[in-house]
Amino acid sequence: MKMKKTVKSIAVAIAAVVSGVVVSCSGGGGGAAGDFAEAEDLRADSIAINEIIQPNNILLRDGYAVISSPKNEKVLFRYSLPGWEITDTSLTRGEGPGDLNDAVLLKQNRKDDTLWISEPNKRMLLKAVMNPGGISVEEEIRLQGYDLWLWNSAFVVDGKSIVNIKLDFWDTEKTKVYSYDMTDSMAVRDSVLCLTRAYIEKHDDGKSKWASATISNSPEIQIVGDRMAIWYPDTRNTMIYRIGADGRFVLEKTFGEPLTYEQVKNMDFKNIKRDEAENFVSADEDYLYFKYVKTKKVEDNTEDNAGGTSGNAPKPEKRENVALELRVYDWDMNPVKKFTLDKVNGTSLFIDRANGKVYSYDRSLDFEYVYVYDFKI
């Protein structure tokens, strides 16, 4: 039988629960549930971007946005905020000496002038610094023990460890979050099991056979300082951890129904209502920021099929966005404030609280425009 591995709708992030150990509720509120005051309506200004780029990560740093793009000759693009004027481009993509291939910015738990760049094909981490005239590489770390791709969901913590998920789409008992030592050996400092469930489906269109895997309840993570907040979108659980100096995770408090991995792996996620979703997009010292998207099913009259190797598999359901909100909670999951955003397709959100701005863009437009909202909590 011919086997083909495909992955659908996977939100890559991390979680932390050991199989068989109940995660108890503490604090108040439950998982991202509670009453907001009436939403404040926000309307965006559109700023045209003069470079055709496809961001694979965007970091905000002290008056700048730094973007890594996989489709351009230059790797990094830096814009001044809040006006989004291009200031410089840095590092070159190519095959020559010193060039990069698949470079991507990694997230960080602290905002300073240091940037960390993953170069997966070369099994290398780059430490870069922001200078007035551009961004330059200061240090290279060769990763001899590197057995995973560090992509845009990974976090560098204090320049000493890396927090990253290692997914196994075919066996969720092997899907874990790891804390790695940031040395060439990439030694594991800690690991915990994810509260996810994998669905493996077999297909036969009469001409060929294949299997596909889907992961449900993939958690989403933000790290600020030594605090790590984890959100499970399907079961609506939140877990708050401290990350020790040794890179180990210490559970501090949880919100939502107590669950074990054994319970989650037997849940039926296929029948969850899919016309709305709440996803974790950002955090700072005081608040956690979520986006809420409401969609509706629309007619799809195109003849294109997707899924099977011969093109005969059912087409995925076509939906369009009808509402977009930014929801703000404190670190105890108490609702703080809710905003409605008028650009409902601008679902990639970035919070610039220092400037009182929310930035968004529509992925289908290849970063042609940035939408800028004024907001105040």
Side-chain angles (χ1 to χ4, degrees):
M1 180 174 72
K2 182 178 180 181
M3 298 290 288
K4 174 185 172 185
K5 296 184 179 181
T6 61
V7 181
K8 304 174 184 176
S9 62
I10 296 171
V12 176
I14 74 173
V17 164
V18 179
S19 177
V21 177
V22 175
V23 179
S24 61
C25 252
S26 61
D35 295 327
F36 283 96
E38 184 176 351
E40 179 180 339
D41 294 332
L42 301 183
R43 293 191 171 275
D45 292 326
S46 297
I47 297 178
I49 301 297
N50 295 319
E51 293 280 349
I52 304 300
I53 58 179
Q54 295 180 347
N56 55 22
N57 221 349
I58 300 177
L59 302 182
L60 304 187
R61 287 289 184 276
D62 192 23
Y64 294 98
V66 184
I67 301 173
S68 56
S69 172
K71 301 295 184 181
N72 301 80
E73 180 182 354
K74 290 296 185 179
V75 174
L76 300 181
F77 296 76
R78 184 163 58 159
Y79 293 84
S80 62
L81 298 177
W84 286 86
E85 295 91 2
I86 185 75
T87 60
D88 50 69
T89 60
S90 303
L91 309 182
T92 301
R93 193 178 306 279
E95 301 296 333
D99 289 348
L100 303 177
N101 302 124
D102 296 306
V104 60
L105 279 171
L106 300 183
K107 298 178 182 180
Q108 295 168 239
N109 68 320
R110 301 187 191 278
K111 296 180 178 181
D112 52 31
D113 290 338
T114 302
L115 300 171
W116 288 94
I117 303 164
S118 173
E119 176 65 5
N121 278 342
K122 296 183 179 180
R123 298 193 170 199
M124 182 170 64
L125 280 177
L126 304 174
K127 181 181 180 181
V129 293
M130 295 198 303
N131 303 305
I135 298 170
S136 58
V137 174
E138 186 177 76
E139 182 183 356
E140 296 181 359
I141 301 176
R142 299 284 176 174
L143 306 177
Q144 302 302 320
Y146 190 72
D147 66 345
L148 77 163
W149 280 56
L150 295 179
W151 204 238
N152 57 3
S153 61
F155 270 85
V156 173
V157 179
D158 291 334
K160 297 178 180 179
S161 59
I162 293 175
V163 174
N164 193 45
I165 189 74
K166 188 174 181 181
L167 290 168
D168 190 312
F169 303 128
W170 306 92
D171 184 355
T172 42
E173 291 192 29
K174 296 180 181 178
T175 293
K176 297 180 179 180
V177 59
Y178 288 88
S179 174
Y180 295 94
D181 183 58
M182 268 183 65
T183 62
D184 60 353
S185 67
M186 289 286 286
V188 174
R189 290 182 166 186
D190 202 0
S191 67
V192 285
L193 187 63
C194 291
L195 282 175
T196 59
R197 176 173 179 181
Y199 288 94
I200 300 173
E201 297 181 282
K202 296 180 179 180
H203 308 275
D204 185 349
D205 62 9
K207 296 181 180 179
S208 59
K209 298 178 181 180
W210 72 98
S212 62
T214 303
I215 289 185
S216 295
N217 208 35
S218 295
E220 301 162 1
I221 176 176
Q222 298 294 331
I223 302 177
V224 180
D226 67 346
R227 287 190 296 180
M228 177 170 65
I230 302 165
W231 163 247
Y232 284 95
D234 292 334
T235 56
R236 301 183 63 79
N237 298 85
T238 309
M239 299 180 182
I240 308 297
Y241 284 79
R242 294 284 180 175
I243 304 176
D246 58 357
R248 297 187 66 84
F249 307 125
V250 179
L251 182 62
E252 188 172 80
K253 49 192 173 183
T254 69
F255 305 92
E257 180 185 353
L259 292 173
T260 68
Y261 171 75
E262 294 298 324
Q263 289 174 300
V264 171
K265 79 173 186 179
N266 292 312
M267 287 183 176
D268 181 9
F269 291 99
K270 290 185 177 180
N271 295 320
I272 290 178
K273 190 177 180 181
R274 297 295 179 184
D275 62 351
E276 56 184 24
E278 192 167 1
N279 299 104
F280 196 10
V281 297
S282 187
D284 58 31
E285 292 79 3
D286 301 308
Y287 302 116
L288 309 179
Y289 302 89
F290 292 74
K291 70 175 178 184
Y292 166 84
V293 182
K294 186 174 181 61
T295 64
K296 70 176 182 179
K297 184 179 178 180
V298 296
E299 291 294 327
D300 185 359
N301 298 318
T302 61
E303 297 181 359
D304 295 334
N305 289 314
T309 55
S310 68
N312 293 324
K315 289 191 298 184
E317 185 177 80
K318 186 175 182 180
R319 307 191 68 85
E320 68 178 24
N321 297 343
V322 295
L324 174 63
E325 295 177 355
L326 173 66
R327 296 179 173 182
V328 184
Y329 301 84
D330 64 20
W331 280 79
D332 288 319
M333 292 307 295
N334 297 308
V336 176
K337 200 166 186 179
K338 182 170 66 173
F339 305 88
T340 60
L341 309 182
D342 66 332
K343 302 295 185 181
V344 296
N345 292 320
T347 56
S348 295
L349 302 181
F350 303 88
I351 312 301
D352 183 4
R353 189 178 163 202
N355 286 311
K357 306 289 184 182
V358 176
Y359 310 117
S360 75
Y361 76 96
D362 181 347
R363 287 182 177 272
S364 68
L365 300 179
D366 288 338
F367 208 66
E368 293 178 13
Y369 296 93
V370 172
Y371 306 126
V372 182
Y373 299 90
D374 292 316
F375 90 120
K376 184 177 181 181
I377 298 175

